Amino acid sequence: GAGVSQSPSNKVTEKGKDVELRCDPISGHTALYWYRQSLGQGLEFLIYFQGNSAPDKSGLPSDRFSAERTGGSVSTLTIQRTQQEDSAVYLCASSVGSRDWGSNQPQHFGDGTRLSIL
Amino acid sequence: DQQVKQNSPSLSVQEGRISILNCDYTNSMFDYFLWYKKYPAEGPTFLISISSIKDKNEDGRFTVFLNKSAKHLSLHIVPSQPGDSAVYFCAAAGNQFYFGTGTSLTVIP
């Protein structure tokens, strides 16, 4: 498909377990973003990858969260020792250019992973 | 610290009428503003954007207005259609993107 693909679409896990969420961006998009949306909240920025540059991790809420992007394409968001407050929809987005390019590069979002921590 | 605010969580409008969704921001350094539309169980999709050097941008039934002095932008949809029923997020772009909490629009047939 031509869009951003995220997997799994739903994940239910027990508190304390680790989870991995995957994002396949649109081919050729150099920028990749992770956001999360908790119930009743807006989209909360987590991390931003641009090409081979060091990622902007300023939005990660704790050291239990990490992300990597292999080969400038697929990205994995990992949450270790999950807590109930981690329950949210995790959204990935990609765009053609850097967010610094006048910001006129709209982001294309995947459908998200709904994470539920029991 | 919510830099982008959408103070109306929901809005209902009759089909054919105008829908006006509002958004306020705090940082005068934002250089681009965007609106996204989100259906349930789907990711947001880009709708329309406006540069901070403009005060209006129009695309079909959708028009975004920017009032920099008031740090306020709005999205007008006219005429509203039932298929427009969705959650609308405004976003502001600076060193990163900041999203509002969304307004759920219901267009009543």
Side-chain angles (χ1 to χ4, degrees), chain B residues 7-20:
Chain B
N7 293 318
S8 298
S10 63
L11 175 68
S12 290
V13 172
Q14 288 284 347
E15 180 179 4
R17 298 288 185 99
I18 185 171
S19 296
I20 300 176

Side-chain angles (χ1 to χ4, degrees), chain B residues 80-92:
Chain B
S80 300
Q81 299 173 353
D84 297 330
S85 297
V87 176
Y88 290 78
F89 290 95
C90 70

Side-chain angles (χ1 to χ4, degrees), chain A residues 33 35 37 40-43 45 58 91 99 102-104 106-107 109-111, chain B residues 31-32 34 36 38 41-44 46 89 93-97 99-101:
Chain A
Y33 308 75
Y35 296 88
Q37 185 179 16
Q41 302 296 314
L43 292 169
F45 167 76
S58 61
L91 288 156
R99 68 184 178 186
S103 305
N104 62 344
Q107 296 170 47
F109 284 83
D111 289 340
Chain B
D31 55 6
Y32 239 85
L34 309 94
Y36 287 82
K38 184 183 184 302
E42 294 182 11
F46 170 72
F89 290 95
N95 61 339
Q96 62 173 269
F97 285 83
F99 286 82
T101 52

